Amino acid sequence: MKILHGVAVLALLTGPALAQGEGPHVNLVPEIEHKSPEEKAQDAVRQKAYQESLRKIPDAQAPNDPWGGVRGAEATQPKAKRKTQQSN
């Protein structure tokens, strides 16, 4: 009975190791397709239109801080810590 348990344990342990072995080789990187001159021209036109559309976007303004007037200038700068002496 002990031999049967030992064989079963060995079979269970070798299963995952065999699964990592030789199997069907799948190429995850397909061959590089070269573009025709017409496709390259279309890509150039699209890229130029994209760059022009980026130039039309207005520049970002400074962030709006609605609590800026309430806090004041003192709150934005950290306060210097005082060193206190402790008496023993």
Side-chain angles (χ1 to χ4, degrees):
M1 196 63 161
K2 289 183 181 182
I3 294 174
L4 183 61
H5 288 288
V7 170
V9 168
L10 285 175
L12 289 173
L13 291 176
T14 57
L18 291 174
Q20 295 177 5
E22 294 292 322
H25 297 286
V26 178
N27 186 6
L28 297 178
V29 181
E31 296 295 325
I32 298 174
E33 296 178 12
H34 298 286
K35 295 183 180 182
S36 67
E38 294 85 19
E39 291 174 337
K40 289 180 183 179
Q42 289 176 353
D43 287 345
V45 169
R46 281 191 216 116
Q47 184 67 21
K48 185 177 179 183
Y50 173 71
Q51 292 297 328
E52 288 176 4
S53 67
L54 287 180
R55 288 190 203 113
K56 294 178 184 178
I57 297 174
D59 293 334
Q61 297 176 355
N64 186 12
D65 188 9
W67 289 91
V70 176
R71 283 192 293 256
E74 295 175 6
T76 59
Q77 297 175 356
K79 295 181 181 179
K81 295 182 180 179
R82 286 193 242 165
K83 293 182 181 178
T84 58
Q85 296 178 351
Q86 296 177 352
S87 60
N88 289 332

